[in-house]
Coordinates of all heavy atoms in Angstrom, one line a residue:
I21 N 26.1 -13.9 -44.9 CA 27.2 -14.7 -44.3 C 28.2 -15.0 -45.4 O 27.8 -15.6 -46.4 CB 26.7 -16.0 -43.6 CG1 25.5 -15.7 -42.6 CG2 27.8 -16.7 -42.8 CD1 24.9 -16.9 -42.0
V22 N 29.4 -14.7 -45.1 CA 30.5 -14.9 -46.2 C 31.4 -15.9 -45.6 O 31.9 -15.9 -44.5 CB 31.2 -13.6 -46.5 CG1 32.3 -13.8 -47.5 CG2 30.2 -12.5 -47.0
F23 N 31.8 -16.9 -46.5 CA 32.7 -18.0 -46.2 C 33.9 -17.9 -47.0 O 33.9 -17.5 -48.2 CB 32.0 -19.3 -46.4 CG 30.7 -19.5 -45.6 CD1 29.5 -19.0 -46.1 CD2 30.7 -20.1 -44.4 CE1 28.3 -19.2 -45.4 CE2 29.6 -20.3 -43.6 CZ 28.4 -19.8 -44.1
P24 N 35.1 -18.3 -46.5 CA 36.3 -18.2 -47.3 C 36.3 -19.1 -48.5 O 37.0 -18.8 -49.5 CB 37.4 -18.6 -46.3 CG 36.7 -19.4 -45.2 CD 35.3 -18.8 -45.1
T25 N 35.6 -20.2 -48.5 CA 35.6 -21.2 -49.6 C 34.2 -21.8 -49.8 O 33.4 -21.7 -48.9 CB 36.6 -22.3 -49.3 OG1 36.2 -23.1 -48.2 CG2 38.0 -21.8 -49.1
I26 N 34.0 -22.4 -50.9 CA 32.8 -23.1 -51.2 C 32.6 -24.2 -50.2 O 31.5 -24.5 -49.8 CB 32.7 -23.5 -52.7 CG1 32.7 -22.4 -53.6 CG2 31.5 -24.4 -52.9 CD1 32.7 -22.8 -55.1
D27 N 33.7 -24.9 -49.9 CA 33.7 -26.1 -49.0 C 33.2 -25.7 -47.7 O 32.4 -26.4 -47.0 CB 35.0 -26.7 -49.0 CG 35.4 -27.5 -50.2 OD1 34.4 -27.8 -51.0 OD2 36.6 -27.8 -50.4
K28 N 33.6 -24.5 -47.2 CA 33.2 -24.0 -45.9 C 31.7 -23.7 -45.9 O 31.0 -23.9 -44.9 CB 34.0 -22.9 -45.4 CG 35.4 -23.2 -45.0 CD 35.5 -24.1 -43.8 CE 36.9 -24.4 -43.3 NZ 36.9 -25.4 -42.2
L29 N 31.3 -23.1 -47.0 CA 29.8 -22.8 -47.2 C 29.0 -24.1 -47.2 O 28.0 -24.1 -46.5 CB 29.6 -22.0 -48.5 CG 28.3 -21.4 -48.7 CD1 28.4 -20.3 -49.8 CD2 27.3 -22.4 -49.2
A30 N 29.5 -25.1 -47.9 CA 28.8 -26.3 -48.0 C 28.7 -27.0 -46.6 O 27.7 -27.5 -46.2 CB 29.5 -27.3 -49.0
E31 N 29.8 -26.9 -45.9 CA 29.8 -27.5 -44.5 C 28.8 -26.8 -43.6 O 28.0 -27.5 -42.9 CB 31.2 -27.4 -43.9 CG 31.4 -27.9 -42.5 CD 32.7 -27.7 -41.9 OE1 33.6 -27.2 -42.6 OE2 33.0 -28.1 -40.8
Y32 N 28.7 -25.5 -43.7 CA 27.8 -24.8 -42.9 C 26.3 -25.1 -43.3 O 25.5 -25.4 -42.4 CB 28.0 -23.3 -43.1 CG 27.0 -22.4 -42.3 CD1 27.2 -22.0 -41.0 CD2 25.8 -21.9 -43.0 CE1 26.3 -21.2 -40.4 CE2 24.9 -21.1 -42.4 CZ 25.1 -20.8 -41.0 OH 24.2 -20.0 -40.4
A33 N 26.0 -25.1 -44.6 CA 24.7 -25.4 -45.1 C 24.2 -26.8 -44.7 O 23.1 -27.0 -44.3 CB 24.6 -25.2 -46.6
A34 N 25.1 -27.7 -44.8 CA 24.8 -29.1 -44.5 C 24.5 -29.3 -43.0 O 23.6 -29.9 -42.6 CB 25.9 -30.0 -44.9
G35 N 25.3 -28.6 -42.2 CA 25.2 -28.7 -40.7 C 23.8 -28.0 -40.3 O 23.1 -28.5 -39.4
L36 N 23.5 -26.9 -41.0 CA 22.3 -26.2 -40.7 C 21.1 -27.1 -41.0 O 20.1 -27.2 -40.2 CB 22.2 -24.9 -41.4 CG 21.2 -23.9 -41.0 CD1 21.4 -23.4 -39.5 CD2 21.2 -22.7 -41.9
L37 N 21.2 -27.7 -42.2 CA 20.1 -28.6 -42.6 C 19.9 -29.8 -41.6 O 18.8 -30.1 -41.2 CB 20.3 -29.2 -44.0 CG 19.3 -30.1 -44.6 CD1 17.9 -29.5 -44.6 CD2 19.8 -30.6 -45.9
N38 N 21.0 -30.4 -41.2 CA 20.9 -31.5 -40.2 C 20.3 -31.1 -38.9 O 19.5 -31.8 -38.3 CB 22.3 -32.1 -40.0 CG 22.7 -33.0 -41.2 OD1 21.9 -33.6 -41.8 ND2 24.0 -33.0 -41.4
T39 N 20.6 -29.9 -38.5 CA 20.1 -29.3 -37.2 C 18.6 -29.2 -37.3 O 17.8 -29.5 -36.4 CB 20.7 -28.0 -36.9 OG1 22.1 -28.2 -36.6 CG2 20.1 -27.4 -35.6

Side-chain angles (χ1 to χ4, degrees):
I21 308 175
V22 180
F23 301 86
T25 65
I26 297 178
D27 288 341
K28 289 295 183 183
L29 189 160
E31 180 182 358
Y32 176 87
L36 195 61
L37 178 60
N38 282 328
T39 298

